[in-house]
Amino acid sequence: MNMTTKELLETANEKMSRKVWEHYGKETQKKKFIEELSELITALAKEDRRAIGEEMADVKVMIMQFENGMEIDTLPIMNYKLHRQLARIENENNNK
């Protein structure tokens, strides 16, 4: 079975993020994660589209490292939170 370009990139990115996590460890990467979140907040406040994209990628890399390094599966949590928010929106629309 041939992988799509997206699947190849996702696989490669996951392998690289694991190596980074293994090299630096949780404490160093926690500080880096906070730094990257701060930079994203700044880019959002400035509404700088290019910087927002760069910082979103940095934050996604850090999320990937923490998901793998700490064995956290966010997929079902994200699904729950999105369903909950859609229910809130529906409730808001019904109360207008």
Side-chain angles (χ1 to χ4, degrees):
M1 179 174 166
N2 291 333
M3 293 176 75
T4 64
T5 301
K6 181 181 178 185
E7 291 169 331
L8 287 169
L9 286 172
E10 287 172 345
T11 300
N13 288 349
E14 187 167 325
K15 286 179 184 176
M16 289 185 285
S17 76
R18 285 181 191 275
K19 285 184 180 182
V20 172
W21 178 269
E22 289 167 6
H23 178 79
Y24 290 109
K26 180 181 172 185
E27 289 306 311
T28 299
Q29 290 312 86
K30 182 171 73 172
K31 292 174 187 169
K32 185 68 173 170
F33 199 174
I34 292 166
E35 176 187 325
E36 297 299 354
L37 289 166
S38 174
E39 290 173 2
L40 176 57
I41 291 166
T42 300
L44 286 166
K46 292 180 179 179
E47 297 185 24
D48 181 339
R49 191 177 189 330
R50 184 202 56 76
I52 291 169
E54 287 282 326
E55 300 309 332
M56 285 175 65
D58 287 340
V59 168
K60 281 185 162 188
V61 167
M62 298 310 300
I63 290 170
M64 183 184 300
Q65 287 182 46
F66 273 77
E67 284 177 332
N68 292 328
M70 296 183 70
E71 298 179 1
I72 298 171
D73 182 7
T74 60
L75 192 59
I77 301 165
M78 290 172 60
N79 185 269
Y80 164 77
K81 289 183 175 277
L82 287 166
H83 278 286
R84 183 180 64 186
Q85 189 60 41
L86 289 175
R88 288 176 180 157
I89 291 169
E90 186 174 330
N91 188 43
E92 288 172 13
N93 289 335
N94 290 336
N95 290 328
K96 286 185 178 181

